[in-house]
Amino acid sequence: MLRWVRQQLGFDPPHQSDTRTIYIANRFPQHGHYVPQKFADNRIISSKYTVWNFVPKNLFEQFRRVANFYFLIIFLVQLMIDTPTSPITSGLPLFFVITVTAIKQGYEDWLRHKADNEVNGAPVYVVRSGGLVKTRSKNIRVGDIVRVAKDETFPVDLVLLSSDRVDGSCHVTTASLDGETNLKTHVAVPETAVLQSVANLDKLVAVIECQQPEADLYRFVGRITISQQMEEIVRPLGPESLLLRGARLKNTKEIFGVAVYTGMETKMALNYKSKSQKRSAVEKSMNSFLIIYLIILLFEAILSTILKYAWQAEEKWDEPWYNEKTEHERNSSKILRFISDFLAFLVLYNFIIPISLYVTVEMQKFLGSFFIGWDLDLYHEETNQRAQVNTSDLNEELGQVEYVFTDKTGTLTENEMQFRECSINGIKYQEVNGKLTPEGFSEDSPDGNRHSLMKEEELFLKAVCLCHTVQINADQTDGADGPWHANGIASPLEYYASSPDEKALVEAASRVGVVFTGTSGDTMEVKSLGKPERYKLLHVLEFDPNRRRMSVIVESPSGEKLLFTKGAESSILPRSKSGEIDKTRIHVDEFALKGLRTLCVAYRRFTPEEYQEIGKRLREARTALQQREERLADVFNFIERDLELLGATGVEDKLQEKIQETIEALRLAGIKVWVLTGDKHETAVSVSLSCGHFHRTMNILELVQHKSDSTCAEQLRQLAKRIKEDHVIQHGLVVDGTSLSLALREHEKLFMEVCKNCSAVLCCRMAPLQKAKVVRLLKTSPEKPITLAIGDGANDVSMIQEAHVGIGIMGKEGRQAVRNSDYAIARFKFLSKLLFVHGHFYYIRIATLVQYFFYKNVCFITPQFLYQFFCLFSQQTLYDSVYLTLYNICFTSLPVLIYSLFEQHVHPHVLQSKPVLYRDISKNAHLGFKPFLYWTILGFFHAFVFFYGSYLLMGEDTSLLRNGQMFGNWTFGTLVFTVMVITVTMKMALETHFWTWINHFVTWGSIVFYFIFSLFYGGIIWPFLHTQDMYFVFVQLLSSGSAWFAIILIVVACLFLDVVKKVLYRHLQPTSTEKAQMYSNRVALSDEFIALQPLSRARNQLSKIRWKKIRVQSAQHVTLLKAGTEGRTIGNC
């Protein structure tokens, strides 16, 4: 129980040993000296709070805010000393703010807990007591034997014990971890591979010793000791034996493995960045403004205290006859009296700090976030997914993004390769209805309608079908008895490939007549137009990034030894001595210009003597203990020469829809895009070119394959020099993971200089934590840019959590990224609408809200300060305490809240079609020092007009009623307050561009409510009030024509200059946004933006559309089918 409590509080002690000992099936030694090691349970936690720490942790975070902490101090001061106002005036709003914020943040964290519980409660099967037991994922313990079936994800990090295959192998895809979709083969040790039944596994007696958990996905060091027939067999364990949590089992019916790392100690979880409270730039600006206003407050309080004692230096004012001091007051310490008076003034002026600002901001963010989910343009019909908001605290940050860091696989691409074209023997071919058709021929032409393949075509397709690492679904047979197509080909097989390119090529070959039907031992079988042929696989020359090619040596059915090679054109064409080399080079360039991924294919025939020579060399190199890699490279180069070129292929990596347009729009908006991927160098560059991240005219610089600090530094200096010399053209930078580690170690400044001078940066072969380091590098640079990270897999979680704004793509690689993101969208193309429209609106709304709050509180409290000059600094309040409490809560709160929810200063269509408008709000432009100074000076100006205008018009002549009755100080204070409420409300109306019936209702309704409330409050004697200062005051004030004249005159005087300024600036020096506003007035409202309108207007417009059919999907979703907008969903509207 104690350990559980410590885990809940986050104080679980670290491991004491460098290694961990795991007894399989938890069969611990029976001797009494063994003390079991303590391991974490298998729960995944992405939430910030627990039941135990929610209250203290949330209170700590809230009181980090300057305003909250300040009002807590003021509340305590009011409790301790006699102050002009009641403690309720500070304590009640503070309690309301803290409670509302805690409820909001608690609700958001509850959603995270709910998502975690779905994962932790997933059903799994564990071997216990001689049988398979169904339990929940969170109940798995280290040492448990777990069964995982095909297409299931691994619930923990497992050491593979056995599979349904005799050799104990299985195939795994780690796309959700490192972005690679190729299948990886994992193998069990021979002694456990034969244990394929639960009964046999239950008898296994073995111990695993391995390293403690670490984040490196590709490193695992351990050993397994198996007790068999009174002897112990020790086998090494490496990464090929470890199955990682989050990876998925493919092409294997089932496996059994033993849990070695669980829960937050799995490699997937260790690559998560710890969850921290993200704070927006607007919130930081608010805290800065609050500090400035706190200084103004302290200045006013100190000045008032000094002036009070300066005034009381005269004896007649120190103790007037109508206010004699008590004996205790005469004998009290002057220092204590000074401090007490200073604190009393502090309480009197404390409303200059807007306590309700934070709660209004919280409500605006929470309610405003629903518009993202309701936006029809962010709804993906194919997957029935709409945008999702996990953290509403960062809405305005969407309008401040300067860098976008994006994953490649599943984020920019659909991860679906499609064969497009090929070149065979100098002739270009396309696939037409399952046939290879030469370019320029149609299926109907004499040469286009063929049922056989030419010799060169067949050899080319056989090379494609033999030179690869493709595997076939074990559930499928070779199709010999299956249905045949018209051209004699069996029904399609399900292929699993080491790369998407290979899979696309093998599938294309099968469609046009040459089918790879599988391997059996060292034999590869191919069917050419239904005729089976068996090739013996002799050697595989593996792909490596230096050679940029791979080869196989096979023995044909006739006994001939053949080498088939495929790779990048730069590595194949120079090694070819025959074939249509020049024509193929031209075709490869044409394919590349179309954005296709290209590979060249060649072959070589060996004489028996040549084959004996290369076989000898290969054996010597592969058994060498010293310099094995260098010797193998030399042998591979010796073999792969004198090639005969067969042709080239062009494969399209299918990009997501509107990727190029989205990236170009981001570039126009002044946002730099970095692609961070775990994929290969060549693949990543090809996709960057296809999606428009790199332009064809861009100068591509490379920082790759460096293994020492010196070479990396030298290359960086050369790149910096080259950029400086060629400053006119655009540059793109490609950097790989190992070079990046070296660059960040000692040359961080130089690396950043190179990156910032590049228009686009591509980082390949990146580990998950490296992605987070790159984001952190930009975040902490001197410019402190706002960063956004977007990805779809578990390998993107770290950078999503590190960036200021994290966005998850609801893709095919699980939900880890979505669960840990701030926002989730279905496709990358939705990013433009999210930033340019929603981000723009949210930032403008909240920037105006913050400035307006400070403005209206300066208007509110400055007359109180000026009033002290007329009452001998006696701390007499100008306003009634009820007015003090309700000014920010009731009288002036709703107009600005509604403005901050519905304001659209520019039409959404204009914002999206003109991304350059996004630059106008970048760098926190609307919350800089100049706008802040303007609003503050405006507040002081209006406050002086309120006070002195009322004083000049009514202060000297107080007998304005027909019966000669005089006005008092409460009437004067009420007049100032009335003018102030009307003026600040009208000022909000002047700032509003987009009027709805809700805006009209709350704007004019707030003024009407103030009048009704004041008449009601002052017209009745309230028995629970200890004073009745305001009785009939407001009625008397409104019964005076002079008072009405003063109210109108002062309001007009305040707002007239503001109106003149707006008109002059708009016509003489209009900004690009103001020009867009004039343009947007001419843009007709389209149904595409209905979701951004207030909900009532959206419903109203939707009701006018003729719907062909209404189909209720569930209680919460109604699918509305209409011509042109089929299947659009409005959820929870």
Side-chain angles (χ1 to χ4, degrees):
M1 180 65 183
L2 180 62
R3 179 169 172 255
W4 182 81
V5 171
R6 289 177 67 83
Q7 280 185 348
Q8 293 297 304
L9 295 174
F11 298 125
D12 202 26
H15 302 288
Q16 303 299 318
S17 173
D18 291 335
T19 61
R20 55 171 52 189
T21 304
I22 301 160
Y23 290 85
I24 294 180
N26 291 304
R27 291 192 178 86
F28 301 114
Q30 298 304 312
H31 56 76
H33 301 291
Y34 175 72
V35 178
Q37 286 180 298
K38 293 179 180 178
F39 304 115
D41 59 30
N42 198 38
R43 288 177 304 127
I44 288 291
I45 301 171
S46 62
S47 55
K48 289 191 295 185
Y49 306 112
T50 67
V51 175
W52 304 92
N53 68 14
F54 175 74
V55 173
K57 191 172 181 180
N58 188 265
L59 287 178
F60 171 76
E61 288 178 351
Q62 291 207 57
F63 283 115
R64 282 167 56 195
R65 291 175 167 172
V66 176
N68 290 351
F69 184 73
Y70 161 77
F71 268 90
L72 178 64
I73 299 299
I74 291 295
F75 177 65
L76 295 176
V77 167
Q78 287 179 298
L79 291 176
M80 291 187 290
I81 66 170
D82 183 23
T83 58
T85 55
S86 166
I88 295 175
T89 58
S90 295
L92 194 61
L94 178 64
F95 176 77
F96 178 70
V97 168
I98 295 296
T99 304
V100 170
T101 305
I103 291 171
K104 171 187 167 290
Q105 293 182 349
Y107 170 73
E108 289 179 346
D109 205 59
W110 174 76
L111 293 178
R112 295 190 191 99
H113 276 281
K114 188 178 177 182
D116 288 342
N117 290 337
E118 288 182 13
V119 175
N120 297 328
V124 293
Y125 287 90
V126 178
V127 177
R128 287 179 185 162
S129 304
L132 271 181
V133 178
K134 186 177 180 179
T135 184
R136 293 183 177 181
S137 175
K138 65 180 180 181
N139 296 329
I140 298 176
R141 299 169 295 172
V142 171
D144 280 345
I145 298 175
V146 182
R147 191 203 77 172
V148 179
K150 181 186 175 183
D151 291 328
E152 291 181 352
T153 56
F154 300 113
V156 290
D157 286 353
L158 300 165
V159 166
L160 179 61
L161 294 178
S162 65
S163 71
D164 64 317
R165 301 183 179 191
V166 178
D167 59 357
S169 65
C170 70
H171 302 298
V172 170
T173 176
T174 58
S176 65
L177 296 173
D178 56 16
E180 292 190 9
T181 54
N182 58 304
L183 291 182
K184 295 180 174 63
T185 303
H186 292 257
V187 292
V189 298
E191 286 73 20
T192 63
V194 297
L195 307 176
Q196 295 179 312
S197 67
V198 173
N200 290 335
L201 284 167
D202 193 52
K203 298 174 184 176
L204 176 63
V205 179
V207 180
I208 292 176
E209 294 171 274
C210 62
Q211 63 189 144
Q212 294 291 4
E214 64 171 35
D216 191 341
L217 294 174
Y218 310 107
R219 186 170 183 269
F220 177 69
V221 179
R223 64 182 181 183
I224 182 170
T225 305
I226 305 159
S227 300
Q228 281 186 354
Q229 299 174 354
M230 303 302 291
E231 66 172 337
E232 292 186 344
I233 302 171
V234 180
R235 295 285 187 186
L237 297 174
E240 72 283 351
S241 303
L242 188 67
L243 306 172
L244 301 178
R245 177 172 190 149
R248 190 180 295 273
L249 184 65
K250 288 287 187 181
N251 205 15
T252 310
K253 288 183 179 178
E254 66 176 11
I255 62 98
F256 290 93
V258 59
V260 289
Y261 304 131
T262 50
M264 300 307 290
E265 292 182 342
T266 58
K267 289 184 181 288
M268 182 183 81
L270 291 174
N271 273 280
Y272 288 174
K273 185 178 174 290
S274 57
K275 195 79 175 177
S276 60
Q277 178 75 12
K278 291 184 180 181
R279 300 171 67 204
S280 70
V282 170
E283 187 174 335
K284 294 171 186 174
S285 297
M286 283 165 53
N287 284 343
S288 301
F289 297 160
L290 285 169
I291 291 171
I292 294 173
Y293 273 76
L294 193 57
I295 293 170
I296 295 173
L297 170 65
L298 292 172
F299 170 76
E300 289 182 348
I302 293 171
L303 180 64
S304 298
T305 308
I306 293 172
L307 290 175
K308 175 179 181 178
Y309 282 92
W311 206 298
Q312 290 179 356
E314 296 183 41
E315 189 175 341
K316 65 175 182 177
W317 297 121
D318 182 38
E319 192 176 348
W321 60 269
Y322 56 82
N323 190 20
E324 293 184 357
K325 296 180 180 178
T326 63
E327 195 66 30
H328 175 71
E329 289 174 335
R330 291 193 184 97
N331 297 330
S332 61
S333 168
K334 288 187 177 180
I335 295 176
L336 289 177
R337 275 190 294 161
F338 185 90
I339 294 173
S340 177
D341 283 328
F342 168 72
L343 292 175
F345 278 116
L346 207 63
V347 170
L348 188 64
Y349 303 147
N350 81 83
F351 287 97
I352 198 172
I353 307 293
I355 179 64
S356 58
L357 170 61
Y358 276 114
V359 73
T360 306
V361 167
E362 293 288 347
M363 291 174 67
Q364 187 269 345
K365 289 182 176 182
F366 180 69
L367 296 174
S369 64
F370 286 104
F371 287 106
I372 294 178
W374 289 338
D375 191 348
L376 297 177
D377 289 329
L378 301 183
Y379 169 72
H380 192 240
E381 298 177 25
E382 293 176 16
T383 57
N384 192 29
Q385 291 172 328
R386 57 181 181 177
Q388 179 178 319
V389 180
N390 297 327
T391 305
S392 60
D393 290 339
L394 304 170
N395 291 345
E396 67 278 6
E397 209 81 326
L398 293 170
Q400 294 294 293
V401 174
E402 295 172 62
Y403 282 86
V404 168
F405 299 91
T406 175
D407 178 40
K408 179 188 73 67
T409 308
T411 304
L412 298 179
T413 69
E414 294 281 7
N415 203 20
E416 295 177 5
M417 301 292 181
Q418 293 182 346
F419 173 80
R420 291 301 182 199
E421 294 182 72
C422 67
S423 171
I424 303 174
N425 198 30
I427 301 173
K428 279 205 291 186
Y429 290 82
Q430 292 178 335
E431 182 188 352
V432 179
N433 295 332
K435 299 184 183 71
L436 272 185
T437 305
E439 189 178 45
F441 291 93
S442 66
E443 188 182 0
D444 299 327
S445 63
D447 292 334
N449 191 12
R450 300 175 301 166
H451 295 281
S452 62
L453 295 170
M454 294 172 61
K455 181 181 177 182
E456 295 84 356
E457 296 171 353
E458 187 174 5
L459 185 59
F460 175 85
L461 294 173
K462 285 180 180 177
V464 168
C465 283
L466 294 171
C467 186
H468 57 71
T469 55
V470 172
Q471 292 142 7
I472 296 177
N473 188 344
D475 294 338
Q476 288 187 299
T477 63
D478 62 5
D481 300 322
W484 292 80
H485 295 312
N487 56 1
I489 305 168
S491 57
L493 299 171
E494 185 178 357
Y495 294 111
Y496 293 102
S498 61
S499 79
D501 301 77
E502 289 186 335
K503 180 182 177 185
L505 292 175
V506 173
E507 287 177 340
S510 71
R511 291 194 298 270
V512 298
V514 181
V515 185
F516 169 65
T517 56
T519 58
S520 177
D522 59 356
T523 301
M524 303 179 74
E525 184 173 326
V526 174
K527 283 185 178 179
S528 179
L529 295 176
K531 180 184 176 182
E533 296 180 10
R534 287 180 172 81
Y535 291 81
K536 185 176 182 182
L537 182 62
L538 302 174
H539 297 284
V540 176
L541 281 57
E542 296 85 0
F543 175 89
D544 68 66
N546 293 322
R547 288 168 45 245
R548 301 182 69 185
R549 59 186 179 272
M550 77 158 288
S551 304
V552 293
I553 301 175
V554 297
E555 182 180 335
S556 69
S558 63
E560 193 175 16
K561 307 296 191 297
L562 300 172
L563 169 78
F564 290 112
T565 302
K566 78 168 187 288
E569 74 279 3
S570 58
S571 65
I572 299 293
L573 295 181
R575 295 181 166 273
S576 301
K577 70 171 185 178
S578 60
E580 296 290 346
I581 298 174
D582 294 333
K583 289 184 179 179
T584 304
R585 182 180 282 113
I586 294 171
H587 291 166
V588 166
D589 292 340
E590 291 176 359
F591 294 164
L593 286 172
K594 295 178 182 178
L596 303 181
R597 297 155 62 94
T598 59
L599 289 173
C600 287
V601 181
Y603 85 113
R604 177 185 176 186
R605 301 177 190 272
F606 293 120
T607 64
E609 294 78 15
E610 286 176 331
Y611 178 71
Q612 285 183 356
E613 174 67 17
I614 65 170
K616 179 183 176 183
R617 289 196 179 198
L618 277 172
R619 281 191 299 274
E620 289 176 354
R622 283 177 168 156
T623 55
L625 297 177
Q626 302 294 330
Q627 298 180 327
R628 180 183 296 178
E629 291 181 358
E630 290 82 354
R631 295 183 67 173
L632 275 174
D634 291 338
V635 176
F636 289 172
N637 286 328
F638 173 75
I639 297 170
E640 297 166 330
R641 61 189 176 88
D642 299 332
L643 303 175
E644 183 174 343
L645 186 63
L646 291 173
T649 62
V651 174
E652 182 184 21
D653 184 2
K654 189 179 178 184
L655 295 173
Q656 287 191 17
E657 188 183 1
K658 294 186 178 179
I659 287 292
Q660 291 179 326
E661 294 90 335
T662 304
I663 291 179
E664 185 59 30
L666 292 172
R667 192 175 280 121
L668 288 173
I671 299 172
K672 288 192 173 183
V673 180
W674 288 33
V675 176
L676 311 181
T677 177
D679 220 331
K680 299 173 185 176
H681 172 208
E682 295 82 9
T683 306
V685 171
S686 177
V687 173
S688 280
L689 287 167
S690 300
C691 70
H693 178 236
F694 284 167
H695 289 299
R696 296 285 170 187
T697 57
M698 194 178 283
N699 184 22
I700 307 298
L701 309 175
E702 292 192 350
L703 183 69
V704 294
Q705 297 177 18
H706 289 283
K707 297 182 180 178
S708 67
D709 280 331
S710 57
T711 59
C712 183
E714 179 60 29
Q715 180 69 7
L716 277 171
R717 281 189 284 269
Q718 289 180 5
L719 293 178
K721 182 181 178 182
R722 189 172 171 185
I723 290 172
K724 194 173 182 181
E725 291 172 351
D726 301 334
H727 63 278
V728 178
I729 61 175
Q730 288 187 327
H731 299 276
L733 178 67
V734 182
V735 57
D736 62 9
T738 54
S739 302
L740 179 73
S741 299
L742 295 172
L744 297 185
R745 193 178 301 168
E746 295 180 6
H747 316 291
E748 185 177 301
K749 189 175 180 181
L750 183 58
F751 177 70
M752 283 302 301
E753 181 186 342
V754 171
C755 288
K756 288 181 179 178
N757 288 320
C758 291
S759 302
V761 179
L762 169 64
C763 300
C764 53
R765 281 298 181 193
M766 300 282 286
L769 284 181
Q770 279 185 311
K771 293 184 178 184
K773 284 180 181 178
V774 171
V775 176
R776 191 183 308 121
L777 180 68
L778 265 293
K779 253 178 75 175
T780 56
S781 63
E783 294 83 4
K784 298 285 190 297
I786 303 300
T787 59
L788 179 147
I790 179 169
D792 71 322
N795 60 319
D796 304 314
V797 168
S798 295
M799 74 169 182
I800 284 173
Q801 292 182 339
E802 179 64 53
H804 292 95
V805 182
I807 297 184
I809 295 285
M810 303 171 190
K812 303 174 183 177
E813 310 299 348
R815 309 292 287 186
Q816 293 93 334
V818 171
R819 284 206 319 273
N820 288 275
S821 65
D822 304 307
Y823 302 89
I825 53 180
R827 287 294 182 269
F828 185 86
K829 66 177 180 178
F830 294 153
L831 187 62
S832 61
K833 179 74 179 285
L834 193 64
L835 298 185
F836 302 153
V837 179
H838 289 285
H840 201 118
F841 283 158
Y842 285 135
Y843 177 73
I844 291 293
R845 291 165 182 170
I846 203 163
T848 306
L849 183 150
V850 170
Q851 304 277 30
Y852 176 78
F853 251 94
F854 285 111
Y855 153 78
K856 72 187 183 76
N857 276 47
V858 168
C859 291
F860 181 41
I861 218 63
T862 303
Q864 179 77 70
F865 171 69
L866 297 174
Y867 186 60
Q868 297 308 303
F869 287 87
F870 294 84
C871 64
L872 295 181
F873 297 93
S874 60
Q875 296 150 15
Q876 169 65 34
T877 61
L878 177 63
Y879 316 117
D880 183 70
S881 59
V882 173
Y883 284 163
L884 281 171
T885 305
L886 297 184
Y887 174 74
N888 278 317
I889 295 177
C890 295
F891 299 145
T892 60
S893 59
L894 276 180
V896 68
L897 177 61
I898 296 303
Y899 169 92
S900 66
L901 290 175
F902 296 136
E903 173 63 3
Q904 294 180 23
H905 64 300
V906 182
H907 195 279
H909 176 70
V910 177
L911 285 178
Q912 195 162 6
S913 62
K914 295 186 177 182
V916 72
L917 294 177
Y918 193 81
R919 295 172 183 253
D920 290 354
I921 61 170
S922 62
K923 305 284 186 184
N924 207 11
H926 288 249
L927 278 176
F929 182 72
K930 284 186 179 179
F932 168 72
L933 191 63
Y934 164 74
W935 280 92
T936 302
I937 292 174
L938 185 68
F940 279 113
F941 168 71
H942 284 182
F944 273 79
V945 174
F946 297 156
F947 185 83
Y948 286 108
S950 300
Y951 180 75
L952 291 174
L953 290 172
M954 301 193 67
E956 295 298 326
D957 185 6
T958 57
S959 57
L960 293 178
L961 297 177
R962 276 181 288 183
N963 61 3
Q965 191 172 351
M966 295 176 65
F967 284 172
N969 65 309
W970 293 115
T971 309
F972 176 73
T974 303
L975 174 63
V976 173
F977 192 83
T978 302
V979 170
M980 179 173 56
V981 169
I982 296 173
T983 303
V984 298
T985 305
M986 292 294 291
K987 173 61 179 171
M988 188 75 264
L990 283 177
E991 294 299 315
T992 303
H993 295 89
F994 185 75
W995 284 90
T996 67
W997 70 265
I998 302 178
N999 293 82
H1000 284 290
F1001 178 77
V1002 299
T1003 300
W1004 316 121
S1006 293
I1007 297 173
V1008 171
F1009 172 76
Y1010 164 71
F1011 277 87
I1012 294 173
F1013 174 84
S1014 297
L1015 289 169
F1016 189 64
Y1017 170 60
I1020 299 174
I1021 297 178
W1022 300 95
F1024 53 82
L1025 295 176
H1026 64 280
T1027 60
Q1028 198 69 36
D1029 297 326
M1030 293 298 294
Y1031 180 66
F1032 230 61
V1033 168
F1034 196 70
V1035 176
Q1036 283 187 327
L1037 178 67
L1038 296 186
S1039 64
S1040 169
S1042 301
W1044 282 103
F1045 174 74
I1047 291 170
I1048 294 170
L1049 188 63
I1050 294 170
V1051 170
V1052 171
C1054 285
L1055 297 178
F1056 178 74
L1057 290 177
D1058 209 40
V1059 172
V1060 170
K1061 172 189 168 291
K1062 282 181 176 292
V1063 171
L1064 289 178
Y1065 267 84
R1066 182 173 288 267
H1067 285 83
L1068 298 179
Q1069 290 182 331
T1071 63
S1072 56
T1073 300
E1074 287 170 341
K1075 291 176 182 176
Q1077 286 173 346
M1078 290 184 276
Y1079 169 76
S1080 66
N1081 291 335
R1082 300 192 295 270
V1083 176
L1085 179 67
S1086 70
D1087 66 309
E1088 292 182 2
F1089 298 97
I1090 289 175
L1092 280 173
Q1093 315 305 317
L1095 197 53
S1096 57
R1097 178 174 290 194
R1099 284 186 178 134
N1100 184 40
Q1101 295 199 24
L1102 287 171
S1103 66
K1104 297 175 183 177
I1105 298 173
R1106 296 183 197 175
W1107 303 107
K1108 290 183 178 179
K1109 181 180 178 184
I1110 298 180
R1111 175 167 50 88
V1112 179
Q1113 289 183 325
S1114 67
Q1116 293 183 338
H1117 292 82
V1118 179
T1119 299
L1120 305 171
L1121 302 181
K1122 172 203 146 195
T1125 54
E1126 293 290 323
R1128 289 195 165 185
T1129 299
I1130 302 177
N1132 298 330
C1133 283

